[in-house]
Amino acid sequence: MKKWLGTLAGAGMAAALALGAASAQARDLRYAMGFPPGSDSDKAGQAYAAEVKKLTNGQLNVRVFPLSLLNFAETSAGLRDGLADIGYLLAPYFPAEYPHFNLLAESSMQLLTMDDRVRGREGMAYVGALSEFVFTKCPECQAEFAKQNQVFTGPAASSPYYLNCNKPVRNEAELKGKRLRVAGSHWSRWARAMGAQPVTMSSNEALEALKQGVVDCVVVSIPELTNLGLLEAVSDVTVQVPGGIFAGTGVTQVNSRVWKSLTKEQRQALLRAGTVMPAYIPYVYHQREKDVLNLVTQRGGRVHQPDPALLQKTRDFAAQDMKTIVEFFAKTHGVKRGEEMLAQFRPVLEKWVGLVQGVDSREKLADLYWTEVFSKVDAGAYGL
């Protein structure tokens, strides 16, 4: 009996030691995002976390903190300082810190007018092109992230940005003097060109700004009406204008110290999992547009087409703003090779417009991103 008990105790101790070793190997990573719980981005973040856990056999456990650890305005500095291990960065909120990345992101309004095949797939194509370009052709972008103690592991992009207002805004006369919440310098210039007044603020503040009359319209993609709770304050949506997408997102930025502390295999897993949100967000956003517009009308709101003259003036603005955006980033943020960057980026985007044709699921889109771009990043050297 004593021998049996001793054997049992020894086995129990061995099991406990093994369990302790496994526990010691497991590591929690805090992921901060400014979107609220239940939003499309929160769901995408949970899918990313599940993929990381699966790919690392439970060694890495990503804990998603939707709108609790850091809001959008706090994410850049919070991630830099280690308050979060992974962050959902909206780079246009920080124009001075990420000018080269923002130049690429804020050119969407101009570049996405080049090919009718991109309609309904704008975000999917732009994410592929932006991923490829930042990983392989934009050392300045990488330097910007490194300076902020971050490692880029993938972008995301929205469906097109439209006017979401608390009154009808369908033509230039109705737009004149309106205060528009915008999220990029190109939309600010468009607003001024149309006689409106741009207002810059975090999307976390947009709902209260609409309710209190601080702004008349919010320029965001249609799914954000539900993601950010804006539906309760928006009565009138005008589609097609201003256009362009929000692409300035480092959707899973990793703190540099955290990245360097991981094994090569763990970094490879984060890169593989890094295709999940870049695929999930644009695919779902494009899919949900029609449903959210139906919700607007079901709640008594109205969906408008823009006056043809406003639409044409918007297209004319987009065509001439390509030169302006290069000059703006050169003068304001010291970007020296903006024209060269956009000339190099255009054929990459054209390629991706073709690649995303026929993609009919976010899983297939993630696989496409992995095959064409992410799998070619050397996890043994990248970000170190």
Side-chain angles (χ1 to χ4, degrees), residues 126-162:
Y126 221 84
V127 162
L130 195 58
S131 299
E132 179 175 335
F133 200 86
V134 172
F135 277 129
T136 65
K137 293 181 171 62
C138 188
E140 298 95 336
C141 299
Q142 295 289 351
E144 288 166 1
F145 295 136
K147 188 175 181 180
Q148 300 304 316
N149 200 29
Q150 299 170 25
V151 176
F152 172 84
T153 64
S158 68
S159 52
Y161 266 40
Y162 299 142

Coordinates of all heavy atoms in Angstrom, one line a residue, residues 126-162:
Y126 N -7.5 47.2 -51.6 CA -6.6 48.1 -51.0 C -5.8 47.5 -49.9 O -4.6 47.7 -49.7 CB -7.4 49.3 -50.5 CG -6.6 50.6 -50.7 CD1 -6.8 51.3 -51.9 CD2 -5.8 51.2 -49.8 CE1 -6.1 52.5 -52.2 CE2 -5.1 52.4 -50.0 CZ -5.3 53.0 -51.3 OH -4.6 54.2 -51.5
V127 N -6.4 46.6 -49.1 CA -5.7 45.9 -48.1 C -4.5 45.0 -48.6 O -3.4 45.0 -48.1 CB -6.6 45.0 -47.2 CG1 -5.8 44.0 -46.4 CG2 -7.4 45.9 -46.3
G128 N -4.8 44.3 -49.7 CA -3.8 43.5 -50.3 C -2.6 44.3 -50.8 O -1.5 44.0 -50.6
A129 N -3.0 45.4 -51.5 CA -1.9 46.3 -52.1 C -1.1 47.0 -51.0 O 0.1 47.1 -51.0 CB -2.6 47.4 -53.0
L130 N -1.8 47.5 -49.9 CA -1.1 48.2 -48.9 C -0.2 47.2 -48.1 O 0.9 47.6 -47.7 CB -2.2 48.8 -47.9 CG -1.7 49.9 -46.9 CD1 -1.0 51.0 -47.7 CD2 -2.9 50.4 -46.1
S131 N -0.7 46.0 -47.8 CA 0.1 45.0 -47.2 C 1.4 44.7 -47.9 O 2.5 44.8 -47.4 CB -0.7 43.7 -47.0 OG -1.8 43.8 -46.3
E132 N 1.3 44.5 -49.2 CA 2.4 44.2 -50.0 C 3.4 45.3 -50.1 O 4.6 45.2 -49.9 CB 2.0 43.8 -51.5 CG 3.1 43.5 -52.4 CD 2.7 43.1 -53.8 OE1 1.5 42.5 -53.9 OE2 3.4 43.2 -54.7
F133 N 2.9 46.5 -50.2 CA 3.7 47.7 -50.4 C 4.4 48.0 -49.1 O 5.6 48.3 -49.1 CB 2.9 48.9 -50.8 CG 3.7 50.0 -51.4 CD1 4.1 50.0 -52.8 CD2 4.2 51.1 -50.6 CE1 4.8 51.0 -53.3 CE2 5.0 52.1 -51.2 CZ 5.3 52.0 -52.6
V134 N 3.7 48.0 -47.9 CA 4.4 48.3 -46.7 C 5.4 47.3 -46.3 O 6.5 47.6 -45.8 CB 3.3 48.5 -45.6 CG1 4.0 48.6 -44.2 CG2 2.4 49.7 -45.8
F135 N 5.1 46.0 -46.5 CA 6.1 44.9 -46.2 C 7.3 45.0 -47.0 O 8.4 44.7 -46.6 CB 5.4 43.6 -46.3 CG 4.6 43.1 -45.1 CD1 3.3 42.7 -45.3 CD2 5.2 43.1 -43.8 CE1 2.6 42.2 -44.2 CE2 4.4 42.7 -42.7 CZ 3.1 42.2 -42.9
T136 N 7.2 45.4 -48.3 CA 8.3 45.2 -49.2 C 8.8 46.5 -49.9 O 9.9 46.5 -50.4 CB 7.9 44.2 -50.4 OG1 6.8 44.9 -51.2 CG2 7.4 42.9 -49.8
K137 N 8.1 47.6 -49.9 CA 8.5 48.7 -50.8 C 8.4 50.0 -50.0 O 8.6 51.1 -50.6 CB 7.6 48.8 -52.0 CG 7.8 47.7 -53.0 CD 6.9 47.9 -54.2 CE 7.2 46.9 -55.3 NZ 6.9 45.5 -54.9
C138 N 8.2 50.0 -48.7 CA 8.1 51.3 -48.0 C 8.9 51.3 -46.7 O 8.4 51.1 -45.6 CB 6.6 51.6 -47.6 SG 6.4 53.3 -46.9
P139 N 10.3 51.4 -46.8 CA 11.1 51.4 -45.6 C 10.8 52.6 -44.7 O 11.0 52.5 -43.5 CB 12.5 51.5 -46.2 CG 12.4 52.1 -47.6 CD 11.0 51.5 -48.1
E140 N 10.3 53.7 -45.3 CA 9.9 54.8 -44.5 C 8.7 54.5 -43.6 O 8.7 54.9 -42.4 CB 9.5 56.0 -45.4 CG 10.6 56.5 -46.3 CD 10.6 55.9 -47.6 OE1 10.0 54.8 -47.8 OE2 11.1 56.6 -48.6
C141 N 7.8 53.7 -44.1 CA 6.6 53.2 -43.3 C 7.1 52.4 -42.1 O 6.7 52.6 -40.9 CB 5.6 52.4 -44.1 SG 4.9 53.3 -45.5
Q142 N 8.0 51.5 -42.4 CA 8.6 50.6 -41.4 C 9.4 51.4 -40.3 O 9.3 51.2 -39.1 CB 9.5 49.6 -42.0 CG 8.8 48.6 -42.9 CD 7.9 47.6 -42.1 OE1 7.9 47.5 -40.9 NE2 7.1 46.8 -42.9
A143 N 10.1 52.5 -40.8 CA 10.8 53.3 -39.8 C 9.9 54.1 -38.9 O 10.2 54.3 -37.7 CB 11.7 54.3 -40.6
E144 N 8.7 54.5 -39.5 CA 7.7 55.3 -38.7 C 7.2 54.4 -37.6 O 7.1 54.8 -36.4 CB 6.6 55.7 -39.6 CG 7.0 56.9 -40.5 CD 6.0 57.2 -41.6 OE1 5.0 56.5 -41.7 OE2 6.3 58.1 -42.4
F145 N 6.9 53.1 -37.9 CA 6.4 52.2 -36.9 C 7.4 51.9 -35.9 O 7.1 51.9 -34.6 CB 5.9 50.9 -37.6 CG 4.7 51.1 -38.5 CD1 4.7 50.5 -39.7 CD2 3.6 51.9 -38.2 CE1 3.6 50.6 -40.6 CE2 2.6 52.1 -39.0 CZ 2.6 51.4 -40.2
A146 N 8.6 51.7 -36.3 CA 9.7 51.3 -35.4 C 10.0 52.5 -34.4 O 10.2 52.3 -33.2 CB 11.0 51.0 -36.1
K147 N 9.9 53.7 -34.9 CA 10.1 54.9 -34.0 C 9.0 54.9 -32.9 O 9.3 55.5 -31.8 CB 10.1 56.2 -34.8 CG 10.4 57.4 -34.1 CD 10.5 58.6 -35.0 CE 10.9 59.9 -34.2 NZ 11.0 61.1 -35.1
Q148 N 7.8 54.4 -33.2 CA 6.8 54.4 -32.2 C 6.7 53.0 -31.4 O 5.7 52.7 -30.8 CB 5.4 54.6 -32.9 CG 5.3 56.0 -33.6 CD 5.6 57.1 -32.7 OE1 5.1 57.2 -31.5 NE2 6.4 58.1 -33.1
N149 N 7.8 52.3 -31.5 CA 8.0 51.0 -30.8 C 6.9 50.0 -31.2 O 6.4 49.3 -30.4 CB 7.9 51.3 -29.3 CG 8.5 50.2 -28.4 OD1 9.4 49.5 -28.9 ND2 8.0 50.0 -27.2
Q150 N 6.7 49.9 -32.5 CA 5.6 49.1 -33.0 C 6.2 48.2 -34.2 O 7.1 48.7 -34.9 CB 4.4 49.9 -33.5 CG 3.7 50.7 -32.5 CD 2.7 51.6 -33.1 OE1 2.2 51.4 -34.2 NE2 2.4 52.7 -32.4
V151 N 5.5 47.1 -34.4 CA 5.8 46.3 -35.6 C 4.5 46.1 -36.3 O 3.5 45.7 -35.8 CB 6.4 44.9 -35.2 CG1 6.6 44.0 -36.4 CG2 7.7 45.1 -34.5
F152 N 4.5 46.4 -37.6 CA 3.3 46.2 -38.5 C 3.1 44.8 -38.9 O 4.1 44.1 -39.3 CB 3.6 47.1 -39.7 CG 2.6 46.9 -40.8 CD1 1.4 47.6 -40.8 CD2 2.8 46.1 -41.9 CE1 0.5 47.5 -41.9 CE2 1.9 45.9 -43.0 CZ 0.7 46.6 -42.9
T153 N 1.9 44.2 -38.6 CA 1.6 42.9 -39.0 C 0.4 42.8 -39.8 O -0.2 41.7 -40.0 CB 1.5 41.9 -37.8 OG1 0.4 42.3 -37.0 CG2 2.8 41.9 -36.9
G154 N -0.1 43.9 -40.4 CA -1.2 43.8 -41.3 C -2.2 45.0 -41.1 O -2.3 45.6 -40.0
P155 N -2.8 45.5 -42.3 CA -3.7 46.6 -42.2 C -5.1 46.1 -42.3 O -5.4 44.9 -42.5 CB -3.3 47.4 -43.5 CG -3.0 46.2 -44.5 CD -2.4 45.1 -43.6
A156 N -6.1 47.0 -42.3 CA -7.5 46.7 -42.6 C -8.0 47.9 -43.4 O -7.4 49.0 -43.4 CB -8.3 46.4 -41.4
A157 N -9.2 47.8 -44.0 CA -9.8 48.9 -44.7 C -11.3 48.7 -44.7 O -11.8 47.6 -44.5 CB -9.3 48.9 -46.1
S158 N -12.0 49.8 -44.8 CA -13.4 49.9 -44.8 C -14.0 49.7 -46.1 O -13.4 49.6 -47.2 CB -13.9 51.2 -44.2 OG -13.6 52.3 -45.1
S159 N -15.3 49.7 -46.2 CA -16.1 50.0 -47.4 C -16.1 51.5 -47.6 O -15.7 52.3 -46.7 CB -17.5 49.4 -47.3 OG -18.1 49.9 -46.1
P160 N -16.7 52.0 -48.7 CA -16.6 53.5 -49.0 C -17.2 54.4 -47.9 O -18.2 54.0 -47.3 CB -17.3 53.6 -50.3 CG -17.1 52.3 -51.0 CD -17.2 51.3 -49.9
Y161 N -16.6 55.6 -47.8 CA -17.1 56.6 -46.8 C -18.1 57.5 -47.5 O -17.9 58.0 -48.6 CB -15.9 57.4 -46.4 CG -15.3 56.9 -45.1 CD1 -15.2 55.5 -44.8 CD2 -14.9 57.8 -44.1 CE1 -14.6 55.1 -43.7 CE2 -14.3 57.3 -42.9 CZ -14.2 56.0 -42.7 OH -13.7 55.5 -41.5
Y162 N -19.3 57.7 -46.8 CA -20.4 58.5 -47.3 C -20.8 59.5 -46.3 O -20.3 59.5 -45.1 CB -21.6 57.6 -47.7 CG -21.3 56.6 -48.7 CD1 -21.9 55.3 -48.7 CD2 -20.5 56.9 -49.9 CE1 -21.6 54.3 -49.7 CE2 -20.3 55.9 -50.8 CZ -20.8 54.7 -50.7 OH -20.6 53.7 -51.7

